[in-house]
Structure formats: structure tokens, C-alpha cells
Amino acid sequence: MVTGPVAQEPEYTALIDELVRFRDGPLEGGPSDRTLAEAAQASPTTIGNWLRRGQFPQEIDPLLRLVRAVRSQAKQAGLLQKQDVAKLLDEQLWRRTHLIEARRRADGTRSGALAAQGREVLARIRPGDPLTEVTDPFRLEVHRAIGTGVAGLPNLPAYVERKHDRDLAEVVAQAAAGTSQIAVLVGGSSTGKTRACWEILRLLREQSEPWRLWHPIDPTRPDAALTELSSLAPHTVVWLNEAQFYLSPTPLGEQVAAGLRTLLHDPRRTPVLVLATLWPEHWETLTTRADPDLHGQARELLDGHKIKVPDAFTVADMAALTDTAGRDPRLGEAAAHARDGQVTQYLAGGLVLLDRYEDAPPAARALIHAAMDARRLGAGPRIPLAWLAQAAPGYLTDIEWDETQDDWLEQALGYVTTPWNGIPSMLTPVKTGADRNQRNRPTTRPGTGPARPRAGQQEPVYRLADYLDQHGRHHRADTIPPVDFWTAAAHHAHPNDQGPLGNAAWRRGLYRDAAQLHKLATTHGHGHAAEALVRHLRRLHRADFRPAQWAAAHVALDYLGAVAWLLYVLRIVGAQEQVDALAARAAAHAALDDPAAVARLLDRLREVGAQEQVDAVLARDPAAHAALDDPAAVARLLDVLRRVGAQEQVDAVLARDPAAHAALDNPAAVVGLLEALRRVRGREQVDALAARAAAYVALDNPAAVARLLDVLRRVGAQEQVGALAARAAAHVVLDAPGGGWGRRSRWTPCWPAIPLPMPPSTTRPRWRGCWTGCGG
């Protein structure tokens, strides 16, 4: 057995030692150094040096191949289901730990050789490409323009600057000057958002300090972002075209948003520049408060950084366009033919696509309508052909269906996937990624022709052109899709899409389809679909507890927030037997490594009266399993353990030294942990965390730092108050993102380290000589 659970972000040397102990112990000495060398594509001597800490791997990929080889043998031995083994062999843990060790070696406190080695490793693993090498705008998803018979024209038409370009330039100039920034361009499809971001990169290419550009897309956008976000270095542009794909998925989107917020406020990695684009409807979704609040992190990331991109050129813009048209015939054509000033849409081919769509044969139009409905009702951008093929006949009249030929699908697909006049097609085939992102299900409709996947191939997947997607959202908003659409969705839609599609069916009174989609989503691990299944069917049949029974038995336990919410819903509808069943499942089998999730589960179990299950969770020793790097999560766990009377578990958490593990990049979270430690009487931990915070906490948020000073004073850490105040006076920049002071100045308070005496009725500290508006 592994000697104990691996802590979150352990030191690299400790992780290597743990891997060696695991190989020599439970795996009985296998795999050998030679076997690992073959897997890592390195020499046995190099592998031996790695495992005996004589050498630090210069690249992460060979090290990950080594870890995969050990993981494969652990799986064969039946050890991988053990939580501590799975964590030890987690590739993301190794990736992060390798990066942290490289940074440690690169800092100036280590020997010259180690520092040089660390800097070399950091140079190798720094994400992104040098901006000077980023020369293809189409790789960054800039729309191609309409074709022309004139030879020798550049790939993109000449650019006409507009107001939003000037607003964006101000943000980029601040990033170039050394302050991390985010700009979110919000506008409709093909209005020029991505092109504006591409054009503004010229300001950074002109800088003496070389910038990089990071465009995370593989294997999926949120996965790619989470994999490398912590590795980003200063002077990096984060390219988030169609940012909803990064920020919307639950719960990955919130993790990406939280990581970006941390990045923007990390003084060690400033400056970075986040360039994001969104349609207006996605902006509303991500920035509007809801219950439950699924996008809180995204809202905090985006709020206040919107740059509106208008749908049409103004009169002044059209005048500038006319002046430029002589240099590029495409601009002259757009000026002459664009409707209502929609120049960028014309250039991007949106109006050409619309004409093609309106002139399409019935079967081709049916495919497009099915794709439009899939997107507007909640499906992601990748739509399986099998779904479209099974749904399309429902969009045809009886006469149209009778007139179709046996190869109707092949003909219709040929029409909608053929580019026209240099414009991408209405439906574009998408290369499928890993198996977990798509379903291997053969097309069941006749007439698929060459589109039917061969054995072992991924199912064909298509993406609807953005302009038609937006057109469908506006012009089909009140249209209810036919029965064939919903039946096909149940068979072929991605599990991630079935929950939102079920909600859409319910809102349209299609209760049977809604229930079927929610059941399918529940079986694939989507807890909010389980909650919707119970609530919706409860309204129709108050005495029928079968939906509650299904949800309690099938909801996945890997997202404890959804499990906790389902427990609440089951109690509200009176399904006590199902409450007990789900509580027992969660108490026995839920993972305990996320302290915030465990706290949420314990709190909910206490609320629903499941004391026996509370005791069962505590018996599994969550204090020994919980990661300790998130101070806000640890604070919540301590508070809940205190509320349920689990003093032994509180003591166990304190014994693991959370003060030493807590990340210090968020002063507000550190404040929460200090207060929680004080409430559980963890005096030693309060002192230890106060000392670390005073010396190392991030200083980019003056309001949070001021609150931390207040809390340090209240817990009696007067020496740390003085130390933190001195650091803040020297380093805090008041125009940092989130600082809220509105102008560039330095925090230069003139108070001594000790607060002035306060009257008994005063609840807020009063600092001598502090600036106006600090709350002092």
C-alpha cells in the first residue's frame, strides 16, 4: 500500500520518493528502470537518476510517459481504484509539481547551476507561441473573407478602425505598460470581434519585451485551459475566442474562470492580456445572477470589461470604408452591397450563407433547421450527423418526404457542406477528439452514403456556421421542433447537451421528452438534470416517487454540489426514503478530496436530518483526504465540522498544518481561513498563517489587503500587521485589476504599525493617516 495520501501540490522530491516506494512496494519492484526507459523514450541511466533524485527532468512529456507506465501496471494489479494511488499517478499533479519545482530552481535563492537548470526548464514548458511567429489569423479563428477575381490580394481585407478598436487599444496599451488586463469584445456573429483582436496584436509585436500568444484548444477548450493555465508566464496573450466554450461548461467553466481571475491578480505573472469574444446572449448568460448561481466566477471575471462591437457601420465608419475601398476591391463590393451597414457580415460571407440557406432544397434546409434548433435549445457546437439525419425528416412535409430519393441525405449533406465563393460551408465537418468527447454510434438512418463511419471510426460531427446559428436563434425562437428532433436527441445528443435540451423540452410543454432527456443526462453523471427530473415530474404527479427513486439511484457522486442540491430537492418534495438512499450512497462512496464539496455534503446531510450518514462520512476521515491548498475551501470545511460537532476531525485538519499549505494569491480567502481557524481555536495555526500571509500574500487587491490587516489586528497578530503594512506601502498599485481606486497612485499610508485605540462602540479599525475611502 502507499504509505498515505499525497498532499495537494507536494514537493517534487517528495512525489518522486512516493512513486519509488509505490513501485518497490505494492507493485513488487515493477516496472523496471529499463521498462520505464522504453516508455519514457530515455536511457535507463536517466530514469535511474530521475528516480533517485540525481537529475531533474528537463521536459515534462517523458516524465508523464513514465507515470503512465506505472499507472498501467497499477491498473493491471487492481490498485488504481484506491484513492491515494489514483492521486499519486494523476498526470495533472505531476505537471503542476514539475512546474513548481522548475520555478523553485529558477529563483535567485538557489545555487547558480540549479537556477540555470530551472530557467532552462521554464523556457521549455512555457505555454504559447512567440507572437512574432503567430502569422496565420485563420488559426485563431478569424473569419475568411469573400473571394474576388483580383490576384495578389492579402488574405484579409484592409482594416477600417472603429470606436471599439480605440477602446480595445487603451486596454492593450495598459497591458504593454506592465498591468495585467482583460478585454471582452461583445457583439453578434461576424461583426468583427475576432478580427479586432487580431489587429490589436500589432501593439504588442512592437514591444521590446517579446510577448507570446496562448490559444488553448486541445483536447477540449476548458481542458486545455485548465492544463496549462497555472504555467503561464508574464507577457502572454490569452486568446479566448468564443469564450463561452471555456466558461460555460459546468463545473469546468467555473474552474477556468477562477484560474483566469487568479492569473490576472498574480503579481508574479504580470503583465498578461486576456482577449475574449462573446455573443450578447452568452454575455447575458455568464454575467446574470441566477439560482442556482452556476457562473459566479465567470461573472466576476467578465464584469466591467465589456467592449461592445456594433452590428453595423456608422455613417462615419462608412465614409472611412469608402476612402479605403480603392485599395481593396472587397471593401468596394461590401460598401456597394452590404445591407444596413452590415459590412463585416458581408465580408465574412454571412449574407452569402443566408442566401444559400434560403435557396436550399427542402432536405438540405431540413438539416440546417435541425442544426439551428439543436444549437438554440442548448446543444454544444459539435452536432452529430446521426442526430441531424434522424431529425431532418420531421421538418419535411409529407409531399416533400415522398419526393426525396434514397440518397437524399448524401445530396443534402453535399449542398450544406460545400464552400461557396471562398466562404466556408453552412455545416463544417469537425475532427473528433478523444473518445470521451464523442459517441461511437453508427448512423441509423438510410441514405447516409459515404458519411457513415467505418468500424472503429468516430461518428461524423458537424458545426453550424455562426451567422446561421445566430439567424436561427432570432428567426426560430418561437418554433417548436418536431417529434423526430427530440427522439433523435435522446439517441444521439451528447450527454452534456441532454440536460439543457430536457429543460428546453419542459419549457415547451413536451414533458415526456423532457423526462427522457433528463433521465439520460442523469445516468451520465449530470446532477442538475436529476434535480430537474424530480422537480418537474413532481408537479405533474405529486404521489409518484419513481422519478425521485431514479435520481437517487443514478446520480453520479463526483459532483457533490449537485448531490447536495438534489438532497435538498428530495426533502422538499417529501421523498424521505429517497433522501435516505442518496445520503447513504454519498456517505459511503463520495470522494473526500475536495474540502468545499465535503463541507457542502456534510451541511446538507445535517439539514436533511441524516445524522447517521454524517457520522458515516466522518468515519471515513475526510480530514485526512482533503486537499489543503484552497484556504476558502478549508475554512468552509472547518466551519461545517465545528457545526456538526466533529472536534476530532477539526483537530485532524489542524494537525495537517493547513496554514503551511494554503495558497496566498487571494487575500480574501486567507481572511476567511484566519477567521475559521480562530473560531475552532486553532491558535498555533492562526499565528503560522498570519506570519506567512504578512510575508507573502498577494498585494494586488488593496481592499482585500485592508481587510486582511483588520483581521490580523483582531486576532492579535500586531507584529504581522506592521510587516504587511510595510509591504503594502512599498508595493501595492492602486490601479490593479479589482483594486477599485480608479487612478494610478501608490499606497503610501503614514500610520505607525499599531492601530489607534478605538471607542468600545466602534466596529471598524481607524488608521492614523490613511487615504480617503479606505474605510479607516
Side-chain angles (χ1 to χ4, degrees):
M1 291 291 295
V2 178
T3 57
V6 179
Q8 184 80 1
E9 317 297 7
E11 287 196 6
Y12 173 80
T13 53
L15 198 58
I16 281 286
D17 291 345
E18 190 72 13
L19 182 69
V20 172
R21 285 195 294 270
F22 176 64
R23 184 189 69 162
D24 296 341
L27 288 184
E28 300 178 354
S32 66
D33 284 6
R34 184 170 297 278
T35 301
L36 292 177
E38 293 176 356
Q41 301 173 21
S43 70
T45 301
T46 298
I47 297 302
N49 288 337
W50 288 358
L51 297 181
R52 292 159 187 80
R53 293 199 275 165
Q55 182 179 343
F56 180 61
Q58 295 293 292
E59 297 182 358
I60 186 62
D61 289 338
L63 180 62
L64 293 181
R65 290 194 288 268
L66 180 151
V67 173
R68 290 185 200 119
V70 178
R71 184 183 181 90
S72 177
Q73 187 150 335
K75 184 176 182 180
Q76 294 176 11
L79 298 173
L80 200 56
Q81 68 268 27
K82 298 181 182 296
Q83 187 178 32
D84 52 353
V85 175
K87 182 172 289 188
L88 171 65
L89 301 177
D90 178 58
E91 290 187 25
Q92 297 305 321
L93 174 64
W94 281 90
R95 190 183 295 275
R96 293 190 298 265
T97 307
H98 181 265
L99 172 65
I100 291 171
E101 178 65 15
R103 287 175 176 166
R104 289 181 63 248
R105 289 169 180 257
D107 70 32
T109 63
R110 307 189 57 87
S111 70
L114 286 180
Q117 184 185 45
R119 286 191 294 270
E120 181 180 354
V121 172
L122 285 176
R124 290 171 182 258
I125 64 178
R126 186 181 176 190
D129 299 312
L131 195 54
T132 55
E133 299 177 10
V134 180
T135 58
D136 184 358
F138 306 124
R139 286 187 58 191
L140 299 180
E141 299 161 353
V142 176
H143 284 302
R144 295 182 183 273
I146 57 175
T148 178
V150 179
L153 290 175
N155 289 329
L156 293 175
Y159 194 68
V160 178
E161 185 179 279
R162 294 187 282 163
K163 180 183 182 301
H164 63 269
D165 295 292
R166 294 185 286 273
D167 295 338
L168 178 59
E170 292 182 7
V171 176
V172 176
Q174 293 179 54
T179 304
S180 292
Q181 296 290 334
I182 174 173
V184 188
L185 275 66
V186 180
S189 172
S190 304
T191 53
K193 304 182 297 297
T194 315
R195 178 71 189 275
C197 292
W198 170 258
E199 293 296 328
I200 207 65
L201 293 178
R202 71 183 187 281
L203 296 182
L204 299 179
R205 290 192 175 97
E206 298 168 357
Q207 299 299 307
S208 57
E209 178 70 31
W211 281 70
R212 300 175 74 86
L213 186 140
W214 179 57
H215 182 208
I217 56 173
D218 182 50
T220 68
R221 296 183 190 232
D223 285 331
L226 289 174
T227 297
E228 295 187 322
L229 193 53
S230 62
S231 305
L232 291 188
H235 298 95
T236 299
V237 178
V238 179
W239 188 272
L240 302 182
N241 189 46
E242 297 192 87
Q244 73 275 8
F245 296 146
Y246 297 92
L247 305 178
S248 290
T250 303
L252 292 184
E254 283 293 86
Q255 296 177 31
V256 173
L260 289 169
R261 292 181 64 197
T262 300
L263 171 68
L264 288 167
H265 291 84
D266 188 346
R268 298 167 301 177
R269 294 189 282 173
T270 193
V272 294
L273 172 64
V274 178
L275 293 178
T277 68
L278 282 170
W279 288 359
E281 50 264 44
H282 295 312
W283 170 270
E284 291 298 325
T285 298
L286 293 171
T287 58
T288 301
R289 293 183 182 275
D291 187 13
D293 191 2
L294 302 179
H295 304 297
Q297 293 283 1
R299 183 176 59 254
E300 294 298 326
L301 171 71
L302 302 174
D303 192 32
H305 302 289
K306 176 180 179 180
I307 297 177
K308 180 175 174 56
V309 179
D311 291 339
F313 274 39
T314 65
V315 174
D317 295 335
M318 291 299 294
L321 175 68
T322 303
D323 293 340
T324 312
R327 295 188 283 112
D328 194 320
R330 291 168 291 190
L331 295 184
E333 181 180 340
H337 299 290
R339 306 169 192 167
D340 302 322
Q342 295 188 336
V343 172
T344 56
Q345 294 90 328
Y346 186 90
L347 289 170
L351 301 182
V352 175
L353 284 175
L354 189 59
D355 289 340
R356 287 275 290 167
Y357 155 70
E358 292 174 346
D359 294 337
R365 193 182 306 116
L367 285 180
I368 296 300
H369 284 163
M372 285 178 171
D373 289 344
R375 290 291 288 127
R376 70 185 177 87
L377 296 177
R382 298 183 172 194
I383 308 172
L385 173 62
W387 183 3
L388 302 178
Q390 186 175 345
Y395 290 84
L396 300 174
T397 66
D398 290 342
I399 294 177
E400 289 172 337
W401 177 245
D402 290 341
E403 292 177 350
T404 57
Q405 304 298 317
D406 288 343
D407 62 347
W408 69 270
L409 181 56
E410 185 176 355
Q411 292 186 30
L413 201 58
Y415 184 91
V416 300
T417 59
T418 300
W420 187 260
N421 193 25
I423 301 302
S425 56
M426 291 181 277
L427 285 179
T428 305
V430 179
K431 291 183 180 179
T432 53
D435 289 347
R436 64 186 179 84
N437 293 324
Q438 304 295 334
R439 279 118 9 253
N440 291 315
R441 184 183 295 111
T443 303
T444 56
R445 293 291 302 172
T448 56
R452 183 189 298 272
R454 298 188 297 271
Q457 279 190 324
Q458 292 286 341
E459 176 182 284
V461 176
Y462 289 83
R463 174 168 177 159
L464 179 65
D466 285 351
Y467 193 76
L468 293 182
D469 185 352
Q470 192 170 55
H471 180 83
R473 292 173 188 268
H474 291 298
H475 291 82
R476 297 184 60 80
D478 298 326
T479 302
I480 298 179
V483 172
D484 287 16
F485 172 87
W486 304 103
T487 303
H491 285 94
H492 301 291
H494 192 282
N496 287 343
D497 298 336
Q498 288 173 331
L501 288 167
N503 295 335
W506 175 266
R507 290 193 297 269
R508 287 156 179 81
L510 305 174
Y511 301 143
R512 183 172 182 173
D513 293 311
Q516 178 68 8
L517 288 163
H518 283 143
K519 282 179 62 177
L520 292 168
T522 297
T523 60
H524 287 97
H526 297 277
H528 290 295
E531 172 257 327
L533 179 70
V534 173
R535 283 192 300 105
H536 290 166
L537 295 188
R538 170 71 173 173
R539 299 179 190 175
L540 301 179
H541 306 286
R542 297 186 65 83
D544 188 354
F545 289 99
R546 286 177 297 177
Q549 184 176 357
W550 174 276
H554 291 88
V555 66
L557 301 178
D558 51 355
Y559 183 29
L560 290 183
V563 173
W565 182 249
L566 181 57
L567 283 168
Y568 170 78
V569 171
L570 291 173
R571 186 187 64 163
I572 291 299
V573 302
Q576 188 58 47
E577 183 178 342
Q578 287 72 34
V579 168
D580 296 339
L582 178 55
R585 279 186 65 216
H589 301 294
L592 303 180
D593 56 341
D594 183 346
V598 173
R600 194 176 297 116
L601 176 63
L602 284 171
D603 220 15
R604 188 68 74 198
L605 291 173
R606 179 182 61 85
E607 289 178 2
V608 300
Q611 186 57 48
E612 184 177 341
Q613 284 72 35
V614 170
D615 295 338
V617 173
L618 296 176
R620 294 176 59 201
D621 196 12
H625 295 83
L628 302 179
D629 61 327
D630 184 345
V634 175
R636 182 166 187 178
L637 179 61
L638 286 171
D639 281 337
V640 172
L641 290 174
R642 178 176 58 87
R643 280 201 297 270
V644 300
Q647 187 59 46
E648 185 177 340
Q649 285 290 302
V650 170
D651 294 340
V653 173
L654 298 179
R656 291 182 58 203
D657 197 9
H661 292 81
L664 302 178
D665 54 351
N666 185 348
V670 174
V671 165
L673 181 55
L674 277 170
E675 293 179 327
L677 291 170
R678 179 177 58 83
R679 285 191 290 269
V680 298
R681 295 183 171 85
R683 186 67 230 182
E684 290 184 5
Q685 287 292 299
V686 169
D687 293 341
L689 182 57
R692 285 192 65 220
Y696 302 111
V697 75
L699 302 175
D700 54 326
N701 188 334
V705 172
R707 186 180 172 200
L708 178 58
L709 284 165
D710 181 26
V711 172
L712 290 173
R713 180 192 60 80
R714 286 194 280 114
V715 300
Q718 299 294 357
E719 183 177 345
Q720 285 72 35
V721 169
L724 179 56
R727 285 185 59 222
H731 297 293
V732 166
V733 179
L734 299 187
D735 67 343
W741 302 103
R743 59 186 177 85
R744 185 170 185 86
S745 59
R746 289 279 178 179
W747 183 8
T748 53
C750 54
W751 66 79
I754 307 300
L756 291 176
M758 297 162 53
S761 61
T762 303
T763 57
R764 301 186 65 183
R766 293 189 178 278
W767 302 96
R768 181 181 301 127
C770 67
W771 66 84
T772 303
C774 76

